[in-house]
Amino acid sequence: PSYTELYRPQFHFTPSKNWMNDPSGLLYHEGIYHLFYQYNPGGATWGAMSWGHATSRDLTHWEQQPVALLARGYPNNITEMFFTGSAVVDVDNTSGFGHSGKTPLVAMYTSYYPYAQTMPSGKTVQANQQAQSIAYSLDNGMTWTTYDAANPVISDPPAPYSDQFLNFRDPNIFWHKPTKKWIAVLSLAELHKLLIYTSKDLKNWTLASEFGPVNAVGGVWECPNLFPLSVDGDDDNLKWVAMIGLNPGGPPGTIGSGTQYVVGNFDGTTFTAEADSLYSGTTPPPSDSIVFADFEGTGSFADLGWTPAGDLIGQSPVNGTLRGQNPVTGYLGKRLVNTFLNGDATTGTLTSRSFTISKRYINFLIGGGHDFNNTAVHLKVDGQIVRSATGTNSESLSWQSWDVGSLLNQTAVIQIVDTSSGGWGHINVDEISFSDSMARSQVANWVDWGPDFYAAQSYNGLPPDEHIAIAWMNNWQYAGVIPTSPWRSATSIPREFSLKTIDGKATLVQAPTEKWGSIVRRKALDRSWSSLNQGTKSLGSVGKALQIELSFSDREPAAAEASQFGIIVRATPDLKQQTRVGYDFSTKEIFVDRSQSGDVSFDGTFPATYYAPLAATAKGQINLRIYVDWSSVEVFGGEGETTMTAQIFPSDSAAHAQIFSTGGNTQNVRIRINEISSAWA
Ligand code: FRU
């Protein structure tokens, strides 16, 4: 392939054609970086999950390889799909898979079985079960053999969670040197729990401990990772980082997928979070909250100003079967609705109310029942859904927050929606309020604050002081409809991870690791200004794939004015299409505004602005490194303690750039732009 199609990333990996999601086995071995990934060999939407494969010697130039694990029975009678997992080099041949001096590579993945069946090992699995299996390669990762004699090697979740067999996935395996054991970290997705197993041989696994729920718990927890990083470059001060995908439930202001991390300690058995990496879960809403939905107790929607004006559901279960729970006070505590509908689903909008948005955040409690995930809350402006949230079926309510700072003073409608398709379930929402601060449970350590950084995984097999991670640069909210063809989805720039003490706290910092020297084509621009006047300054046509370094002084925000400095990239000559990347001096936040970035029509939530906190350096400078590709923007703020990743789909003619300084002049501005050439040429 030529890799010159509209939107084809020039320095990010994409499969030559078809659908990709999570990195599923990142392994460095004998000078080669292997990238295995969730892949549909038969089309450009999710399905027939297999492990695709690509290799690189420099994390910059990639070579497409044949599919490594093809869905069993593909294409006509798929009996097993290969979901996300990871891979290791079994140097000491603990598995016994090696022979004739060949070192085995071993992968562990989630087997997903569309049908109940008896496996060649004699084990039986249920329809839609997820269980963990292994495969090995004796030719350095090019071809793989599934371990049919015993797969799945971890077939069911442990007893207290045995009902979770439909949502038990994404093994992250690695060698733990101090205890000389293999570790597998797995997700009980719906319960927001990680399970940690140990093994001597990669075949027999023993449950060692569990972790969670902590911090952000929107949606499901997926794709866990656990790895050590030294703090401030001190090899004697190692801390462990648990990295966890959430879907939906990403950073405030995003919709859909996101990735959080927790810093702690791992002793080979148990992961213990550090106190300053934890935020307490369900705490009362911020004290300045203007509550406009407190449904506790009895009454009707009409009393509270909501329409339609029926009784608060939940006090009269349709079928009377409440599993011994008290529907009013006992089961989930405060709630709007707690329905047990039997064969009589009230789907669609249950109640709604119109408001003027008066503060930056909308916070609310949302939850679900035991078996189903039926609760959604939508925020609509001008008839369009601009924010949405779903509850989880974890039998508890948790806080979610929307950043609606960009919608202040607009009239909006909040709808509470039953998304069930029939049967029974619970709808739970309460305490919807406006506030200047976020409700606690979306307070977390976010790996990336943008909308398109998910299922991140760190490399196995690297030297101990190197830690490189790659994410899926997409979001389940719209992944299946992004306007690319004949492929769908790219990976993020590979990122070097480390921990740095910032404000007394071990903080993840990230740096892009590509070999820029091999693909940076030419300097497009290098300019500085001691003071740049308020207004805009055109930089002309600088290109579509760019490396930008932008630094400037922090300043006192002008009162009552948008006070921002930044750069517009991927703009058409008429500026109708543009992506804005900048800094807001009043909120001390980086932002990426993709509301007019090109094709934004395929999903109602896509055109939006995203924000992330960033403090100035000790000298009062803001430093941004911005990587622009044919369909993405990645921002590394400061020393890499804040990153933001967003897809964009601008037209071919969108190669212009412009600087903007609003609400005042900006001092000490330096901008350097290099044009990046294709890594595929
Ligand atoms: C995350 C995920 C994983 C799962 C895989 C299936 O994006 O849902 O939990 O293993 O995708 O493709």
Side-chain angles (χ1 to χ4, degrees):
S2 61
Y3 288 90
T4 55
E5 303 96 333
L6 180 66
Y7 309 140
R8 177 70 90 166
Q10 299 296 290
F11 60 93
H12 289 85
F13 174 75
T14 47
S16 58
K17 60 174 189 189
N18 293 335
W19 167 272
M20 168 175 78
N21 56 290
D22 318 354
S24 298
L26 296 181
L27 184 60
Y28 181 68
H29 179 54
E30 298 196 337
I32 307 270
Y33 295 92
H34 292 270
L35 163 61
F36 300 96
Y37 50 87
Q38 289 291 281
Y39 185 61
N40 180 356
T45 50
W46 191 90
M49 276 300 113
S50 302
W51 277 32
H53 186 199
T55 52
S56 174
R57 291 187 170 275
D58 61 3
L59 291 170
T60 304
H61 301 85
W62 293 94
E63 219 176 296
Q64 184 75 64
Q65 301 293 352
V67 170
L69 286 164
L70 183 65
R72 202 184 295 272
Y74 177 85
N76 295 324
N77 178 30
I78 294 177
T79 57
E80 179 183 2
M81 295 191 199
F82 301 99
F83 277 12
T84 296
S86 50
V88 293
V89 185
D90 183 11
V91 184
D92 297 327
N93 194 23
T94 61
S95 63
F97 289 137
H99 59 76
S100 325
K102 288 181 186 155
T103 303
L105 308 190
V106 178
M108 190 181 215
Y109 51 88
T110 296
S111 294
Y112 167 76
Y113 309 100
Y115 313 108
Q117 56 194 287
T118 302
M119 304 307 294
S121 61
K123 295 176 183 167
T124 57
V125 294
Q126 304 186 53
N128 301 318
Q129 179 165 355
Q130 299 178 351
Q132 325 313 320
S133 302
I134 57 176
Y136 61 93
S137 170
L138 296 178
D139 58 2
N140 290 330
M142 299 314 291
T143 61
W144 292 80
T145 307
T146 51
Y147 181 42
D148 292 343
N151 277 339
V153 293
I154 303 178
S155 37
D156 296 296
Y161 312 118
S162 53
D163 61 347
Q164 296 295 313
F165 62 93
L166 302 178
N167 282 292
F168 180 42
R169 59 181 176 268
D170 305 341
N172 169 226
I173 54 173
F174 60 91
W175 178 247
H176 188 252
K177 219 169 159 191
T179 55
K180 296 198 178 61
K181 277 187 182 160
W182 297 104
I183 310 292
V185 184
L186 275 148
S187 177
L188 285 172
E190 298 276 0
L191 300 186
H192 310 118
K193 272 184 193 295
L194 306 185
L195 296 183
I196 298 178
Y197 288 75
T198 62
S199 172
K200 289 267 176 211
D201 59 5
L202 291 158
K203 296 171 169 170
N204 298 288
W205 292 90
T206 310
L207 180 66
S209 67
E210 61 177 70
F211 176 75
V214 299
N215 294 358
V217 291
V220 289
W221 274 15
E222 300 180 319
C223 306
N225 261 237
L226 188 60
F227 47 86
L229 295 177
S230 63
V231 181
D232 301 320
D234 176 1
D235 292 341
D236 295 331
N237 185 10
L238 282 189
K239 292 190 193 283
W240 286 74
V241 174
M243 182 163 68
I244 303 162
L246 292 122
N247 182 59
T254 65
I255 293 172
S257 320
T259 307
Q260 69 171 331
Y261 71 95
V262 182
V263 178
N265 179 48
F266 179 61
D267 59 6
T269 306
T270 308
F271 175 71
T272 313
E274 297 207 327
D276 66 2
S277 201
L278 287 180
Y279 308 94
S280 53
T282 301
T283 55
S287 54
D288 69 331
S289 293
I290 301 175
V291 177
F292 51 88
D294 190 349
F295 296 119
E296 196 176 16
T298 57
S300 72
F301 293 131
D303 300 341
L304 297 157
W306 292 71
T307 52
D311 290 341
L312 295 183
I313 309 170
Q315 299 167 38
S316 51
V318 172
N319 252 14
T321 44
L322 279 171
R323 296 169 159 232
Q325 311 284 352
N326 181 331
V328 180
T329 56
Y331 196 58
L332 288 164
K334 294 179 175 185
R335 71 186 75 72
L336 161 61
V337 184
N338 186 1
T339 50
F340 280 78
L341 307 169
N342 213 336
D344 168 37
T346 316
T347 56
T349 301
L350 295 168
T351 186
S352 67
R353 193 173 159 180
S354 171
F355 300 90
T356 302
I357 295 176
S358 65
K359 290 185 181 240
R360 166 137 183 212
Y361 294 98
I362 297 180
N363 299 316
F364 48 94
L365 278 168
I366 183 167
H370 181 74
D371 288 317
F372 295 105
N373 194 1
N374 293 339
T375 308
V377 181
H378 295 320
L379 184 74
K380 282 188 163 179
V381 173
D382 289 338
Q384 298 277 336
I385 297 179
V386 292
R387 300 285 184 276
S388 79
T390 49
T392 62
N393 62 8
S394 53
E395 298 193 15
S396 63
L397 290 159
S398 63
W399 289 103
Q400 289 198 36
S401 298
W402 293 323
D403 183 343
V404 289
S406 60
L407 301 168
L408 275 179
N409 301 322
Q410 302 212 33
T411 304
V413 173
I414 293 188
Q415 297 178 322
I416 295 169
V417 181
D418 178 348
T419 58
S420 66
S421 53
W424 59 279
H426 316 250
I427 311 298
N428 289 281
V429 179
D430 202 6
E431 290 200 29
I432 306 176
S433 63
F434 290 125
S435 169
D436 289 325
S437 50
M438 228 186 299
R440 281 313 241 174
S441 72
Q442 254 185 311
V443 183
N445 310 297
W446 296 104
V447 179
D448 190 287
W449 292 78
D452 293 304
F453 190 87
Y454 194 56
Q457 186 172 112
S458 69
Y459 262 92
N460 274 323
L462 292 174
D465 55 345
E466 270 181 52
H467 295 278
I468 294 173
I470 295 181
W472 179 48
M473 192 162 57
N474 212 337
N475 186 322
W476 283 112
Q477 170 70 24
Y478 41 68
V481 293
I482 58 171
T484 59
S485 173
W487 79 99
R488 257 208 196 95
S489 293
T491 53
S492 70
I493 294 177
R495 300 174 179 191
E496 174 77 37
F497 277 8
S498 56
L499 287 175
K500 203 174 151 56
T501 308
I502 298 179
D503 283 340
K505 188 171 152 179
T507 306
L508 186 69
V509 299
Q510 304 174 52
T513 56
E514 293 202 31
K515 297 287 174 283
W516 301 111
S518 68
I519 51 170
V520 167
R521 183 156 57 196
R522 68 182 168 88
K523 198 175 284 166
L525 192 133
D526 185 348
R527 296 188 64 178
S528 53
W529 295 268
S530 55
S531 178
L532 199 75
N533 287 343
Q534 175 163 346
T536 59
K537 197 172 233 17
S538 172
L539 302 176
S541 176
V542 292
K544 299 189 294 174
L546 307 167
Q547 180 190 48
I548 302 171
E549 285 169 69
L550 185 59
S551 69
F552 47 95
S553 292
D554 193 10
R555 65 164 136 96
E556 285 302 313
E561 243 182 308
S563 189
Q564 299 180 336
F565 179 78
I567 184 168
I568 290 171
V569 295
R570 298 303 313 268
T572 47
D574 62 5
L575 294 177
K576 285 216 167 103
Q577 289 185 19
Q578 52 168 274
T579 298
R580 298 163 73 87
V581 180
Y583 190 72
D584 189 310
F585 298 103
S586 44
T587 56
K588 310 271 175 237
E589 287 175 321
I590 310 176
F591 61 87
V592 174
D593 174 359
R594 67 173 180 192
S595 56
Q596 303 171 71
S597 53
D599 186 351
V600 297
S601 63
F602 50 87
D603 177 79
T605 71
F606 189 86
T609 306
Y610 305 96
Y611 301 89
L614 180 68
T617 64
K619 289 186 173 150
Q621 284 288 113
I622 308 295
N623 298 318
L624 305 179
R625 281 170 294 167
I626 306 164
Y627 297 82
V628 178
D629 205 341
W630 285 12
S631 53
S632 62
V633 176
E634 273 158 292
V635 186
F636 293 77
E639 295 173 86
E641 67 270 31
T642 303
T643 69
M644 290 188 91
T645 302
Q647 296 184 91
I648 51 171
F649 300 101
S651 67
D652 190 49
S653 65
H656 286 254
Q658 193 170 85
I659 285 186
F660 58 90
S661 180
T662 54
N665 299 346
T666 306
Q667 318 296 326
N668 292 326
V669 178
R670 170 93 196 251
I671 180 161
R672 270 183 291 199
I673 304 183
N674 289 315
E675 212 179 333
I676 300 175
S677 61
S678 172
W680 303 98

